[in-house]
Amino acid sequence: MEQLPEGEVTVRVKYSGVNYKDGLASIPEGKIVRRYPFIPGIDLAGTVECSLHPSFKEGDEVICTGYELGVSHEGGYSEYARVKGDWLVPLPAGLSPKEAMAIGTAGFTAALSVADLIRNGLKPEHGPVLVTGATGGVGSFAVSMLSKLGFEVAAATGKAETQREWLMNIGAQTVIPREEAVPAAKGALSSAKWAAVVDPVGGTRLSGLLKQVKYGGAVALSGLTGGAEFPGAVYPFILRGVKLLGIDSVYCPMDIRREIWGRLAGEWKPVTVLDSGIREISLNELPETFERILKGGAVGRTIVSM
């Protein structure tokens, strides 16, 4: 315990999640972690062991995602973690610690994306919503939540042939190869096809996605597995009023954080993904899991049991 970092709350960790960012933290060239040895794990759920923070007491069940966890502050891949009390969210009724970590940062990011699209005016009657990287964590949870909320969902993935049935089972109405999601278009705009897009991929295809969004629609961008840069032009923004919504789950304000976790425990609970089977591993299985996720081979969610 004396090796734990500074913080007001010590948590006995029950579960952590596995994210692309955790995979990057496992390799120096990932540029996530600046010092080694280091404990990664950007998510955790567990029980308060002791607390110097007024909002938490021994025995409270809590969630921690984002902030510095697993990046510059020792993370969730540990039997115990010590964190700042202001980083913690009380586990809402309707979620177990295991379900919370099955959702994790990926599901939380998906929910933030859906919330921002709805705030932008998105309604089911506006037409289909495209989800890119649909077999990944953010993508699969977005498919599940949007479907539950009554939206028509098109799932774009590089694994269309092997994961079509799984994507349909979690809520997609159509499944398309990622290449077909962004057909070649030389003009300023493409045919208006999508009411909105949830994009955890980013990269060069983003400019093509923006060209296909209907008037007043939006793209909720949350990731960079496809690259950090994209070529673009102003036409979708000034001719169709398209919005590009940046989604940040790391420093999301606590009031929004609690609200979103409450929705994830209630009317937005992504039951189709949770019921489809969450892969549970031990700590010693992390290296091979990191290798798979960095190669783009992950499907759905993997959690680590302590």
Side-chain angles (χ1 to χ4, degrees), residues 25-99:
S26 72
I27 54 174
E29 56 268 32
K31 299 180 181 179
I32 296 294
V33 176
R34 297 177 181 175
R35 59 177 174 82
Y36 294 94
F38 184 78
I39 301 172
I42 65 170
D43 299 339
L44 67 82
T47 305
V48 173
E49 189 82 1
C50 60
S51 173
L52 299 175
H53 192 281
S55 298
F56 300 97
K57 64 183 184 303
E58 182 181 348
D60 287 348
E61 291 189 304
V62 293
I63 304 167
C64 187
T65 64
Y67 299 104
E68 309 297 332
L69 191 71
V71 178
S72 61
H73 190 95
E74 307 285 356
Y77 298 151
S78 175
E79 291 183 357
Y80 291 92
R82 186 174 290 138
V83 299
K84 294 181 179 180
D86 290 343
W87 294 358
L88 293 172
V89 173
L91 182 72
L95 280 182
S96 68
K98 185 175 182 177
E99 288 175 326

Side-chain angles (χ1 to χ4, degrees), residues 138-152:
V138 176
S140 59
F141 280 114
V143 169
S144 180
M145 278 180 263
L146 287 164
S147 175
K148 188 174 184 180
L149 293 171
F151 292 92
E152 178 186 348

